[in-house]
């Protein structure tokens, strides 16, 4: 009886074990499907929320999603093999449980080589993706800036840059300038449309391009208004016109490396102009009024204007974001090019009324460049903003 009982118990235990194992197999969830469309949507949204200018076609081409995130290009695909015409979320052609792969490169239009190539699983949390790309982008720019060889001189100030970093503000290829000399009064025959295309060609292909070209872009885009992109398109033939020429909010701004004042420290290594302006004005909501008071004090002007409405207001609202951009990128260039000429010295006379009027006229601006408003907003506003933000050089 004892042997039979033990045998029965053993058989029963084996049966129970098998039953539990079978039940476990029945209730195990199948591998979760991962849709690349969802990953791409979250990716674009995460970088937009972080203050980056973003673009996306909204559909995959040859099995690959593409994005443009500031100076970074992104791809998302399920297979390492390129060229598939099937949608990456088509279950008849792809295993939807395979984790898709994200790749980030800069510059976003490779010229000879990429300065950064970063691969991450598509299941990486959004916040981690943004933080990792930010860190790697900052390191990539710093590494490329450290390799620069300054063999060419700006035709006006003489400051030395890599030859490709000096651009033509006129029709002449012999006149090549740095970012802080293009609106100087000694420049005749400005050609801002040509300069705009030259800036895009440089910044799209070179992650180490001078930060000051962002400020030139911001100034032309802010002055040109929403129609400037269309004017560029008409003049450019088949050349692509980037969105920031119609929407200066999307201009990419390189921030100074290293320690930043509290108002900017969350934004490194770069940001959209809209995010930069929002951060500055959020921290200093009275900045415009302080600028107006500073101008009045500088000009010793306390008389009333002709309309009897108080002291004349020289602030040109449309150019205010450009002034902020100049203040920040001048500091970026000082820190990245410590042996170069100080942008602050160049900007003392860097905005000349006649030059601005010539440029504004050609880009179809509705601003009155023949007045003192644009000149004062820039020439007085830029160093004032830098001082308020704690970016101005110590005396």
């Amino acid at each position: 009886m004892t042997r039979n009982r033990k045998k029965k118990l053993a058989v029963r235990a084996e049966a129970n074990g098998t039953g539990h194992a079978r039940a476990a197999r029945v209730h195990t969830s199948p591998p979760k499907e991962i849709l690349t469309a969802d990953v791409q949507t979250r990716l674009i949204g995460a970088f937009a929320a972080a203050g980056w200018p973003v673009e996306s076609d909204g559909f995959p081409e040859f099995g690959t999603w593409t994005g443009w995130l500031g100076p970074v290009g992104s791809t998302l695909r399920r297979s390492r093999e390129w060229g598939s015409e099937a949608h990456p979320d088509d279950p008849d052609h792809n295993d939807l449980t395979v984790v898709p792969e994200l790749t980030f490169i800069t510059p976003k239009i490779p010229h000879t080589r990429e300065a950064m190539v970063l691969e991450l699983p598509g299941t990486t949390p959004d916040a981690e993706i943004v933080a990792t790309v930010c860190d790697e982008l900052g390191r990539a720019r710093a590494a490329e800036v450290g390799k620069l060889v300054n063999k060419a001189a700006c035709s006006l100030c003489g400051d030395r840059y890599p030859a490709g970093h000096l651009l033509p503000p006129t029709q002449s290829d012999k006149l090549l300038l740095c970012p802080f000399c293009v609106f100087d009064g000694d420049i005749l025959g400005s050609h801002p449309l040509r300069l705009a295309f030259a800036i895009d060609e440089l910044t799209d292909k070179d992650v180490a391009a001078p930060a000051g070209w962002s400020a030139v872009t911001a100034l032309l885009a802010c002055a040109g208004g929403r129609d400037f992109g269309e004017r560029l398109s008409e003049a450019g033939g088949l050349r692509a016109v980037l969105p920031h020429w119609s929407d200066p909010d999307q201009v990419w701004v390189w921030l100074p490396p290293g320690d930043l004042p509290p108002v900017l420290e969350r934004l490194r290594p770069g940001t959209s102009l809209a995010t930069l302006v929002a951060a500055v004005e959020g921290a200093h909501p009275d900045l415009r009024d302080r600028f107006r008071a500073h101008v009045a004090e500088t000009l010793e002007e306390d008389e009333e204007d002709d309309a009897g409405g108080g002291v004349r207001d020289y602030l040109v609202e449309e150019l205010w974001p450009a002034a902020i951009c100049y203040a920040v990128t001048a500091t970026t260039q000082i820190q990245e090019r410590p042996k170069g000429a100080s942008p602050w010295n160049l900007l003392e006379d860097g905005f000349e009324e006649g030059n601005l009027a010539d440029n504004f006229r050609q880009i179809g601006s509705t601003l009155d460049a023949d007045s003192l408003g644009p000149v004062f907003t820039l020439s007085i506003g830029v160093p004032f903003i830098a001082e308020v933000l704690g970016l101005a050089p110590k005396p």
Side-chain angles (χ1 to χ4, degrees):
M1 291 293 291
T2 303
R3 279 200 306 271
N4 289 340
R5 188 170 185 275
K6 286 183 177 179
K7 185 176 181 180
K8 289 179 180 179
L9 290 175
V11 170
R12 191 175 299 164
E14 182 179 352
N16 287 340
T18 304
H20 287 316
R22 183 181 297 114
R25 286 196 297 272
V26 169
H27 290 95
T28 298
S29 299
K32 185 178 181 180
E33 294 182 346
I34 303 170
L35 298 182
T36 58
D38 294 340
V39 175
Q40 179 74 358
T41 298
R42 291 198 305 271
L43 175 75
I44 298 300
F47 278 92
W52 289 42
V54 298
E55 295 178 74
S56 177
D57 291 335
F59 57 88
E61 188 172 9
F62 299 111
T64 302
W65 296 89
T66 302
W68 309 103
L69 317 170
V72 176
S74 71
T75 60
L76 171 65
R77 61 185 186 277
R78 197 176 296 278
S79 170
R80 286 183 173 270
E81 296 181 4
W82 293 82
S84 172
E85 294 186 5
H87 193 289
D89 294 335
D90 184 347
D92 294 332
H93 292 85
N94 296 287
D95 180 356
L96 303 190
T97 64
V98 172
V99 176
E101 183 180 83
L102 284 162
T103 302
F104 302 92
I105 66 168
T106 196
K108 60 184 178 182
I109 299 181
H111 184 44
T112 55
R113 62 178 178 81
E114 295 89 354
M116 178 192 81
V117 179
L118 174 65
E119 295 181 347
L120 295 172
T123 52
T124 306
D126 297 340
E128 183 179 337
I129 291 176
V130 173
T132 303
V133 172
C134 275
D135 290 344
E136 291 301 316
L137 177 61
R139 280 192 282 268
R141 177 169 170 87
E144 294 302 305
V145 168
K147 299 175 186 176
L148 296 178
V149 179
N150 302 314
K151 292 185 175 180
C154 172
S155 300
L156 189 59
C157 72
D159 194 13
R160 302 192 73 80
Y161 286 78
H165 289 183
L166 300 173
L167 300 179
T170 69
Q171 284 283 23
S172 174
D173 290 327
K174 295 181 179 179
L175 188 67
L176 299 174
L177 302 182
C178 74
F180 300 103
C181 287
V182 294
F183 300 113
D184 191 277
D186 289 336
I187 307 304
L188 302 177
S190 295
H191 197 315
L193 303 183
R194 183 190 187 200
L195 178 60
F197 284 114
I199 293 173
D200 284 348
E201 184 176 3
L202 169 61
T203 55
D204 271 357
K205 294 180 179 179
D206 191 344
V207 72
W213 288 121
S214 295
V216 177
T217 301
L219 176 52
L220 292 175
C222 287
R226 298 285 174 177
D227 295 334
F228 184 34
E230 183 176 347
R231 183 177 288 257
L232 267 180
S233 182
E234 292 172 354
L238 297 178
R239 287 181 291 187
V241 175
L242 298 183
H244 52 235
W245 294 114
S246 296
D247 183 5
D249 283 353
Q250 298 189 51
V251 172
W252 177 262
V253 184
W254 289 110
L255 301 184
D259 294 334
L260 291 173
V263 62
L264 301 180
E265 62 185 358
R266 293 188 306 104
L267 305 178
R268 66 179 122 200
T271 187
S272 70
L273 181 59
T275 304
L276 173 63
V277 171
V280 169
E281 297 195 324
H284 301 281
D286 61 342
L287 188 60
R288 283 177 171 83
D289 290 337
R290 292 172 64 183
F291 165 75
R292 292 183 175 99
H294 177 68
V295 172
E297 181 182 355
T298 300
L299 302 179
E300 296 182 349
E301 185 174 288
D302 56 5
E303 70 275 10
E304 293 186 351
D305 63 16
D306 294 339
V311 177
R312 179 177 176 182
D313 186 3
Y314 289 102
L315 175 62
V316 179
E317 287 285 348
E318 293 88 342
L319 299 182
W320 189 243
I324 293 175
C325 191
Y326 265 101
V328 171
T329 55
T331 306
T332 303
Q333 288 214 189
I334 288 174
Q335 294 194 18
E336 291 183 332
R337 307 179 72 254
K339 295 182 180 180
S342 170
W344 302 115
N345 296 335
L346 299 176
L347 288 173
E348 287 180 2
D349 300 310
F351 304 107
E352 196 271 334
E353 184 179 337
N355 189 324
L356 289 176
D358 190 15
N359 278 276
F360 287 6
R361 188 162 46 249
Q362 292 188 55
I363 65 178
S365 176
T366 59
L367 300 180
D368 182 9
D370 291 318
S371 70
L372 291 174
V375 174
F376 287 170
T377 298
L378 297 166
S379 63
I380 299 178
V382 171
F384 173 77
I385 293 168
E387 182 177 359
V388 171
L389 298 184
L391 298 173
K394 299 295 186 291

